[in-house]
Amino acid sequence: QLQLEESGGGLVQPGGSLRLSCAASGFSLNTYATGWFRQAPGKEREGVSCLSGRGVGMTVDSVRVRFTTSRDNAKNTVYLQMNKLEPEDTGVYYCARSRYYRCPDSLTSTTDFESWGQGTQVTVSS
């Protein structure tokens, strides 16, 4: 059974760091692209980053210098390293599996992504 499970969220002060994990089961992460998305209260879900099956990553401009996505094939887990966190980064973070091996040209749409985890809460506050 295909499953994605996020973990690693929590409460962090501005300027701090968190590493989110997305553990996959039922399929191999190196055969599909995996995306990270987030949803702030009262806002629409937005794309953060994507890692292709090959391991080529893309990150949206707004967080590119602070967030990095990576993968451990042996653990079948994708990570989102978030540094210099800001209150605006607060939200529920989701990982999702694409239908495709490659990442889309843009993460403005979730159309490519068919399977989602339950999300993990990230709160950036002093």
Side-chain angles (χ1 to χ4, degrees):
Q1 182 178 357
L2 190 159
Q3 189 172 1
L4 296 166
E5 185 172 1
E6 303 93 338
S7 61
L11 173 64
V12 63
Q13 292 186 344
S17 298
L18 281 175
R19 189 179 77 159
L20 306 184
S21 300
C22 172
S25 58
F27 73 101
S28 294
L29 284 169
N30 60 4
T31 58
Y32 293 91
T34 307
W36 282 99
F37 294 81
R38 66 184 181 184
Q39 188 164 17
K43 295 187 177 181
E44 294 187 354
R45 192 169 298 187
E46 64 174 355
V48 175
S49 68
C50 181
L51 196 65
S52 72
R54 181 183 177 187
V56 177
M58 62 174 288
T59 308
V60 299
D61 289 345
S62 60
V63 300
R64 182 169 296 163
V65 296
R66 300 186 293 119
F67 291 11
T68 304
T69 187
S70 62
R71 185 175 69 215
D72 185 330
N73 290 332
K75 295 182 178 180
N76 209 29
T77 299
V78 172
Y79 302 98
L80 181 66
Q81 178 67 44
M82 306 187 294
N83 299 323
K84 298 182 179 180
L85 284 161
E86 303 169 352
E88 293 74 22
D89 296 318
T90 294
V92 180
Y93 282 69
Y94 302 89
C95 64
R97 195 196 82 169
S98 174
R99 295 181 176 84
Y100 309 109
Y101 184 74
R102 295 182 178 180
C103 293
D105 292 336
S106 169
L107 291 175
T108 56
S109 170
T110 62
T111 303
D112 280 11
F113 297 89
E114 61 181 355
S115 300
W116 295 79
Q118 82 289 348
T120 185
Q121 176 70 45
V122 172
T123 302
V124 185
S125 175
S126 55

